[in-house]
Amino acid sequence: MKLGKIRIIGGKWKGKKLSFHLDSTLRPTPDRAKEMIFNWLGQDLVDLNCLDLFSGTGAMGLESLSRGCKKVFFVEKDTKTFKKLKENLSVLDVENKIELFNKDCLDWLRKPCQGEKFDVIFVDPPFNKVLAKKIFFLLDKNNYLHKDTIIYLETEKNLDIDFLLESHQIFKEKSFGEKSYRLIKRLF
């Protein structure tokens, strides 16, 4: 299987490249988009708890760790992708700052949140699936959000997100090509 590379673009590991298995189901967030997103979130994520759903290469969680995040929970269903993510994380000496789950995101979110709620949640579901609505329902229902939680949502540009507008507010949004990137907060 061929290998690709992702690059960490900021923080203590800025410029570090990590390999991943090229697979048609993986869509690593491009550097240009990561730069925009972390400019929106702020460069310093010290003391924040992050949840990286549909982790894939782990690009968003890795950026968060590089920028001082207190803890990142990675959830990835695909076993091969999960093993490569685990391997990449093992070389960074972050065992006490991560939790890894080789599990379907919907199944993982069906259990109520135990412990601290998340400050930042990265949601990057596979395209052409009806997952975003289910994810937001479970995040709300099972108490994963506090009043300041920021949810990052990466989707195909034409996805109908009207389901969000009653209970959530989009406060940053940009599209490049066929992808849309949004920062969202729940209306409490």
Side-chain angles (χ1 to χ4, degrees), residues 99-118:
E99 289 200 34
L100 299 163
F101 300 90
N102 185 199
K103 193 164 184 156
D104 178 83
C105 289
L106 293 176
D107 290 342
W108 193 85
L109 288 171
R110 282 191 179 99
K111 66 175 177 40
C113 182
Q114 312 211 333
E116 291 184 56
K117 297 174 196 234
F118 293 98

Side-chain angles (χ1 to χ4, degrees), residues 51 107-114 116-119 121 138-146 149:
L51 173 59
D107 290 342
W108 193 85
L109 288 171
R110 282 191 179 99
K111 66 175 177 40
C113 182
Q114 312 211 333
E116 291 184 56
K117 297 174 196 234
F118 293 98
D119 301 299
I121 299 173
L138 290 171
L139 287 171
D140 288 342
K141 177 185 177 220
N142 291 323
N143 214 20
Y144 285 91
L145 313 173
H146 58 67
T149 299

Side-chain angles (χ1 to χ4, degrees), residues 1 10 13 31 63 66 69-71 77 115 140 148 153:
M1 183 176 275
W13 301 314
D31 286 355
E63 285 292 339
S66 184
C69 188
K70 179 168 65 173
K71 191 159 199 169
K77 177 171 90 171
D140 288 342
D148 295 320
L153 178 63

Side-chain angles (χ1 to χ4, degrees), residues 21-36:
H21 297 293
L22 286 174
D23 179 329
S24 62
T25 62
L26 285 177
R27 295 176 292 100
T29 303
D31 286 355
R32 175 181 174 195
K34 283 192 294 192
E35 185 174 348
M36 174 189 68

Side-chain angles (χ1 to χ4, degrees), residues 3 17 25 29 32 35-36 38 53-54 61 66 82 104 120 132 138 141 147 162-163 172 179:
L3 288 179
K17 293 181 181 177
T25 62
T29 303
R32 175 181 174 195
E35 185 174 348
M36 174 189 68
F38 283 93
L53 295 171
F54 307 96
S66 184
F82 178 80
D104 178 83
V120 179
L138 290 171
K141 177 185 177 220
K147 68 179 182 64
D162 286 349
F163 69 89
K172 295 279 186 181
K179 292 183 181 180

Side-chain angles (χ1 to χ4, degrees), residues 6-8 27-30 34 38 52 55-65 74 85 122:
I6 60 165
R7 183 172 65 93
I8 298 174
R27 295 176 292 100
T29 303
K34 283 192 294 192
F38 283 93
D52 190 354
S55 293
T57 63
M60 302 308 279
L62 288 162
E63 285 292 339
S64 299
L65 286 167
F74 293 89
L85 173 61
F122 298 102

Side-chain angles (χ1 to χ4, degrees), residues 88-100:
N88 282 337
L89 287 164
S90 71
V91 302
L92 297 175
D93 191 32
V94 291
E95 295 81 29
N96 62 337
K97 298 183 92 176
I98 62 170
E99 289 200 34
L100 299 163

